[in-house]
Structures are given as structure tokens and as C-alpha cells.
Amino acid sequence: VENAIDAGAHRIVVSLKEGGRTFLSVVDDGVGMTPDELVLAVERHCTSKLPDDDLDDIRTLGFRGEALPSIASVSRMAITSRPAGAETAWCLEIDGGAKGEPHPAAHPFGTRVEVRDLFFATPARLKFLKEPRTESGHVADALRRLAMAHPAIGFRLDSDERTLIDLPAAAPSLIEKAGEARLARLGAIMGREFADNAVAIDANREGFRLSGFAGLPTLNRPTSQHQYLFVNGRPVRDRLLQGALRAAYADFLARDRHPAAVLYLDLDPVLVDVNVHPAKAEVRFRDPALVRGLIVGALRHVLAGAGHRASTTVAGAAL
């Protein structure tokens, strides 16, 4: 899905069977690949996304060239792709790491990646997979996080003939107003309750921009599950950012309650290292103190300004 976003897709459809164990496909309408690019895409550590091999200036979600060859080595994979303007699509099949030759196929513009019989080549790994329902839940969570960061793209997830997620792309008129497009997408994912009881954040400091929405203190949760953090459009679970969020709400919430918030941090890629965690879930900042100060200061400012507001749902329940 990250590759599809990098390819400029406007709609991405993910399909699963048995939680992805027997079948998983990702279809996009992005720029597509030529036959030569298909062959390179499944070579280990081969990527087209690092100009001048500069790991300090990463502007795409994918950049390591590890995912496709790793999955292809433990499954039966087929990649079908057709670039814009090409007369025909090409398909490449890989069976447990054994690569065939690209052959012509029928497919609209864009790319389709299909994975069948996951871990058939390494059956010992199969027992580490959870129940299909749990695995499809993990897929849905990953897709929702990416959808929150990219409201201009439509996302759909089908699992065993059931549609779990169907998020249309934001209307062009909304995309121009980034805040409104984001809030509409967040409302569709987190519920209308969050959209109605969140305050907008927009703060800048020394080239760092923090935007997003913070839930009112009265709209709190027993866990930190409703906290979503993004750095340059990349979903992260970073301790520094989570700690700053907790500190900002410290004066407003009891210790065992957690806020609901969605924060987007945008900065020059040179100022952050996104290559420190195997799953790219954590990042390392050149100036962590400045990032923490920006988050705590901006959140406290908007929460103090909204101090007289209580969430409508809590107020309604109290009445």
C-alpha cells in the first residue's frame, strides 16, 4: 500500500482471504511499471526511490527494496502492472523466490500485487500467525492509519467477501482546504463523536509544522488506542511524540485516562531519520527537545483556549 501511495494512486483496494494466509491482493491506479522495472522490483535491496543513494533525504514511504522480495520468497506472488500509455500489461510470477519471466497480461492502468499461500515455503512460520480475524484486524488498522494521512486517496478493504473499510477520496473542493479534508476522513474512521469534539491545531517553529486535531479533555479514553501520530505523512508509534502528548494533557486529565488526538508533524526530511526501526514505526529527530516543546506548547495553548468547552456527547449524557 505504501508503494501504491508512492506511485501516485487515487484509489487503492486491498482484498484478503483467511486474514491474508491464503490470499492477499493490493490493486492501485498509480503510474505502473515496465517489464524491466517489474524484474528489478523483486530484487533484494533494489529501489528506485533513493536519488543519489541519499538516505538523509527520504521523501517516499517505501525506500529499502526489502518488502516485495521478502514476501515473494515465502509465498506465491504475482505482480501485474501497466504504465500509463502502454498498450498491454505485463505479469511477473515468483514461486517461493523462484522468479519467472515477465509475460503479457490483461490489466487496466496501474499495478496489482497478489500473494497466495503465505509461508507455504516455510511452514514453521505459519503457526506464528494469529486467527484470521485478528490478522485482518491488523491489516485494517494499518490501512486506516495510512488513510488518515492521505485523504485525497480512496481506500477499500475486503475480507472474505465482506467490506471492512470503504473510504472515498475527498472531494477536490475539500482537498484544497487540507484541514477540512482531514477532519472529514478522521470522522469517517474515528467516528462523528471525535470530529464534533476536537480542536484544530496549527503551529510552526523553526521549520517544524504541527497540525491536526486534539480531542477535548472531556472526550477521554481508558487506553491510548485513539492516538495517531504522523511524521511527513508516515504513521509512527514514537515514544517521544507519545510522551509529549501525555505531558500536554497532564493538567487536564486524570492519570489513568488518555486523550484522543491525531497529530501531523511536517519537517525537512534531513532533520529526521526514518530508518532506525525495522518496521519504520519509530523515528529519530535531530532536535528532539524542539519537537517536544512544539507539541506540548501548541496543545496546551489550544486546550486552554477551549477550556470552557465540554464535549457534546459527555454533556448530553450528563443531562
Side-chain angles (χ1 to χ4, degrees), residues 6-21:
D6 287 342
H10 300 291
R11 180 165 170 76
I12 299 169
V13 180
V14 180
S15 303
L16 300 175
K17 285 181 183 169
E18 292 186 41
R21 183 180 302 213

Side-chain angles (χ1 to χ4, degrees), residues 4 7-11 28-32 82-84 109-111:
H10 300 291
R11 180 165 170 76
D28 70 64
D29 57 357
V31 295
R82 182 180 174 188
F109 297 121
T111 301

Side-chain angles (χ1 to χ4, degrees), residues 160-276:
D160 294 314
E161 315 304 328
R162 286 174 51 237
T163 299
L164 300 185
I165 295 173
D166 193 0
L167 299 165
S173 56
L174 270 184
I175 292 171
E176 293 171 16
K177 307 167 186 171
E180 289 183 29
R182 275 181 179 169
L183 190 57
R185 176 60 60 89
L186 296 179
I189 293 173
M190 298 177 69
R192 186 65 193 269
E193 186 183 34
F194 177 79
D196 290 343
N197 300 296
V199 286
I201 298 163
D202 195 350
N204 286 282
R205 186 185 295 180
E206 296 179 34
F208 290 74
R209 182 180 179 214
L210 181 71
S211 57
F213 297 89
L216 294 169
T218 44
L219 184 77
N220 52 62
R221 297 283 184 260
T223 68
S224 59
Q225 195 177 349
H226 290 81
Q227 295 171 9
Y228 298 93
L229 306 166
F230 301 87
V231 176
N232 288 348
R234 182 189 304 280
V236 297
R237 291 183 174 91
D238 191 78
R239 288 182 185 174
L240 170 77
L241 301 179
Q242 288 169 332
L245 180 60
R246 196 163 49 244
Y249 276 88
D251 295 341
F252 300 91
L253 282 182
R255 288 188 66 176
D256 60 341
R257 304 300 291 179
H258 300 267
V262 183
L263 302 179
Y264 303 88
L265 186 65
D266 293 292
L267 63 154
D268 189 325
V270 175
L271 300 175
V272 59
D273 185 358
V274 297
N275 199 29
V276 294

Side-chain angles (χ1 to χ4, degrees), residues 60-81:
T60 51
L61 292 173
F63 58 87
R64 287 180 175 158
E66 289 180 14
L68 288 175
S70 299
I71 300 165
S73 68
V74 294
S75 67
R76 295 183 170 94
M77 178 188 274
I79 308 176
T80 310
S81 193

